[in-house]
């Protein structure tokens, strides 16, 4: 099987690029190593509602994601932030009206961010997308790039887009080998949120709202360092999610961590919070399609992402690096994934000689 453009990675960037090529009538194939599309966009499902275990927010001033939500017929709604914030000090004392962790001003997508994935995927023909298709090796020869999959199958493409975190892309093998500077720069790019873990507690109702609480909290005791309301836009259920501050290398006992999370929810929001309908944990640092050992240590601040010259001209532009970590303006965000897809699309346009 041959194709004009092979897109490796079915997260938001890869899906958006595939959708653009489909609308242009171009020849392409989108492949994803997982058994689902979405990448870091992942949801826990309960009673028909979706709860974001990966990215959850978009913000004003991000025009691409706003336009995509509208084009796909989806709806954004403001993050709930009404009521008192909560602060837990290092001794375990609870303070109301303090915290400074409000996500007010951000927006969420009705149906979860996975609604974007489902809508984009549904627009791609069956023959133009594949899951359970992990590429392990790329080889360039005779003006083409041959991709080898984990099951031994191969296909050739005129150009390949790596819609992957650069560190994950660096884990593939290449023939000829990538320039050492290019490979070193790829390995040095932190994968956004790859070392993070997230807890989601789902309840019958958002009972904390009736108590005058916003659901926003920060803690100096942990294991969660920051908590927010994750209640769906409709459906009656309530939810709270928390970012887990325990370092990735210490998150080895999932059962103990669950008990600690439930205990902390109870301390912060009362005994009702100790008995959710469901408690979901997602440790992205253990996901080898997202995180490498280098991602175990979270960066101290938001990285300054860009696509350096060494990562911009690979194999005479037959190999194109993409993904949100290559976006110079909104790198790391959902908006950055769309920004990167735009750049890759421009790179795929016929080159003037």
């Amino acid at each position: 099987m041959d194709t004009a453009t092979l897109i490796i990675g079915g997260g938001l960037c890869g899906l958006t690029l595939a959708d653009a090529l489909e609308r242009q009538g171009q020849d392409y194939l989108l492949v994803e190593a997982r058994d689902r599309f979405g990448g870091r966009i992942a949801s826990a499902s309960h009673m028909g509602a979706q709860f974001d275990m990966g990215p959850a927010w978009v913000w004003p001033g991000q025009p691409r994601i706003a336009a995509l939500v509208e084009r796909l017929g989806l709806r954004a709604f403001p993050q709930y932030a009404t009521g008192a914030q909560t602060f837990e000090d290092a001794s375990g004392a609870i303070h109301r009206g303090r915290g400074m962790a409000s996500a007010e001003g951000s927006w969420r997508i009705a149906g979860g961010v996975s609604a974007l994935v489902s809508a984009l995927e549904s627009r791609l023909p069956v023959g133009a997308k594949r899951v359970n298709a992990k590429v392990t090796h790329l080889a360039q020869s005779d003006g083409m790039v041959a991709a080898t999959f984990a099951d031994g199958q191969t296909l050739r493409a005129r150009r390949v887009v790596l819609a992957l975190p650069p560190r994950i892309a660096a884990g593939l093998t290449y023939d000829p080998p990538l320039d050492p500077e290019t490979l070193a720069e790829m390995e040095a790019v932190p994968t956004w949120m790859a070392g993070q873990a997230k807890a989601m507690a789902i309840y019958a109702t958002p009972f904390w709202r009736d108590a005058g609480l916003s659901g926003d909290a920060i803690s100096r005791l942990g294991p969660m360092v920051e908590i927010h309301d994750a209640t769906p836009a409709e459906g009656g259920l309530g939810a709270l999610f928390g970012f887990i501050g325990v370092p990735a290398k210490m998150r080895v006992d999932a059962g103990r961590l669950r008990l600690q999370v439930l205990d902390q929810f109870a301390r912060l929001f009362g005994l009702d919070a100790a008995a959710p309908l469901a408690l979901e944990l997602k440790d992205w640092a253990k996901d080898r399609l997202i995180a490498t050992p280098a991602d175990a240590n979270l960066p101290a601040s938001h990285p300054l992402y860009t696509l350096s010259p060494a990562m911009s001209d690979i194999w005479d532009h037959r190999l194109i690096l993409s993904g949100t970590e290559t976006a110079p303006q909104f790198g790391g965000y959902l908006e950055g994934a769309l920004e990167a897809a735009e750049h890759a699309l421009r790179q795929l346009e016929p080159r003037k000689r």
Side-chain angles (χ1 to χ4, degrees):
M1 179 192 300
D2 288 349
T3 185
T5 300
L6 175 64
I7 306 168
I8 302 175
L12 183 59
C13 177
L15 283 164
T16 303
L17 177 59
D19 176 63
L21 293 175
E22 176 66 27
R23 287 184 287 129
Q24 291 181 358
Q26 301 294 321
D27 179 45
Y28 68 93
L29 176 65
L30 173 66
V31 298
E32 165 58 43
R34 302 174 186 273
D35 61 0
R36 63 168 181 83
F37 290 105
R40 277 166 280 186
I41 298 173
S43 295
S45 180
H46 190 81
M47 296 177 62
Q50 303 299 316
F51 300 87
D52 293 313
M53 301 304 297
W57 292 315
V58 297
W59 286 268
Q62 296 182 340
R64 298 173 185 84
I65 197 75
L68 181 62
V69 168
E70 182 178 3
R71 181 169 69 83
L72 296 178
L74 302 176
R75 179 172 67 88
F77 66 99
Q79 168 68 32
Y80 187 84
T82 301
Q85 298 178 37
T86 299
F87 174 71
E88 181 179 39
D89 66 26
S91 71
I94 304 299
H95 308 269
R96 304 298 185 193
R98 293 173 55 189
M100 305 303 292
S102 176
E104 185 174 8
S106 62
W107 290 71
R108 293 169 51 209
I109 297 172
V113 181
S114 58
L116 287 173
V117 173
S118 298
L120 287 168
E121 179 190 351
S122 69
R123 285 160 167 73
L124 306 180
V126 172
K129 58 188 179 185
R130 288 173 54 187
V131 293
N132 296 311
K134 183 179 182 180
V135 174
T136 59
H137 180 73
L138 294 171
Q140 179 195 207
S141 64
D142 301 325
M144 298 285 286
V145 178
T148 302
F149 293 83
D151 62 3
Q153 293 188 50
T154 63
L155 68 82
R156 285 158 46 92
R158 287 198 290 272
R159 282 180 290 186
V160 173
V161 178
L162 292 170
L164 303 169
R167 279 180 175 166
I168 298 299
L172 277 61
T173 58
Y174 299 88
D175 182 19
L178 299 185
D179 184 274
E181 180 184 359
T182 298
L183 195 60
E185 290 194 8
M186 291 166 63
E187 292 172 340
V189 178
T191 303
W192 182 238
M193 300 300 281
Q196 186 59 260
K198 192 172 182 179
M200 181 74 66
I202 303 168
Y203 302 94
T205 64
F207 57 86
W208 53 93
R209 296 181 179 182
D210 294 334
L213 301 178
S214 65
D216 290 321
I218 60 172
S219 172
R220 295 288 183 258
L221 186 60
M224 295 177 289
V225 295
E226 183 180 328
I227 296 170
H228 300 281
D229 188 307
T231 299
E234 50 200 20
L237 294 174
L240 294 166
F241 86 84
F243 293 111
I244 294 173
V246 179
K249 294 179 180 178
M250 297 176 62
R251 299 195 296 258
V252 294
D253 188 337
R256 181 184 179 192
L257 181 59
R258 291 176 68 88
L259 292 176
Q260 291 173 331
V261 164
L262 289 173
D263 182 63
Q264 186 178 13
F265 275 131
R267 295 196 309 268
L268 294 171
F269 299 102
L271 291 180
D272 287 345
L277 300 175
L279 177 65
E280 302 283 349
L281 298 179
K282 175 58 179 178
D283 192 337
W284 289 101
K286 292 182 171 61
D287 189 327
R288 286 294 162 253
L289 293 175
I290 291 297
T292 71
D295 291 306
N297 297 317
L298 295 172
S301 60
H302 197 112
L304 297 176
Y305 289 119
T306 189
L307 193 59
S308 70
M311 296 193 295
S312 299
D313 184 6
I314 306 174
W315 291 353
D316 193 28
H317 295 283
R318 291 188 180 89
L319 191 61
I320 299 169
L321 288 180
S322 194
T324 187
E325 283 82 13
T326 69
Q329 186 175 5
F330 293 99
Y333 298 108
L334 296 171
E335 180 79 2
L338 305 184
E339 181 184 359
E342 280 185 2
H343 180 264
L345 187 63
R346 290 194 295 269
Q347 295 295 106
L348 291 171
E349 294 174 353
R351 297 173 61 194
K352 295 179 180 179
R353 297 289 185 177

